[in-house]
Amino acid sequence: MQNEWILDVLTDLRTFAHQNGLTTLAEHLDDTRLVAASSLTSTGEGLTGNECRTAQAAGHNTRGAGTRL
């Protein structure tokens, strides 16, 4: 869990973008956070089981690059 801080940074950036009317950027940061979480998950870090299920329900691959849902 040593690299999970990046998820907090991306969340803070997304919040800033949303609060300042940068809607497209906020949406891209949401996607970027999911990619980062997926990468951390593939290395044994990242989203909890509940967060993974939520992301998968939204159609996001949380198993790492090159894997199938």
Side-chain angles (χ1 to χ4, degrees), residues 13-27 29:
L13 289 170
R14 185 228 174 257
T15 300
F16 174 85
H18 186 5
Q19 290 175 344
N20 288 282
L22 303 169
T23 309
T24 303
L25 177 58
E27 291 171 2
L29 287 164

Side-chain angles (χ1 to χ4, degrees), residues 8-9 14 16 37-38 40 65:
D8 294 332
V9 171
R14 185 228 174 257
F16 174 85
S38 177
L40 291 173

Side-chain angles (χ1 to χ4, degrees), residues 1-14 29 32-41 43 45-47:
M1 299 241 178
Q2 68 186 23
N3 295 321
E4 201 169 284
W5 61 268
I6 192 69
L7 301 176
D8 294 332
V9 171
L10 291 168
T11 299
D12 289 346
L13 289 170
R14 185 228 174 257
L29 287 164
T32 302
R33 187 180 186 283
L34 287 172
V35 170
S38 177
S39 295
L40 291 173
T41 299
T43 62
E45 299 186 37
L47 295 175

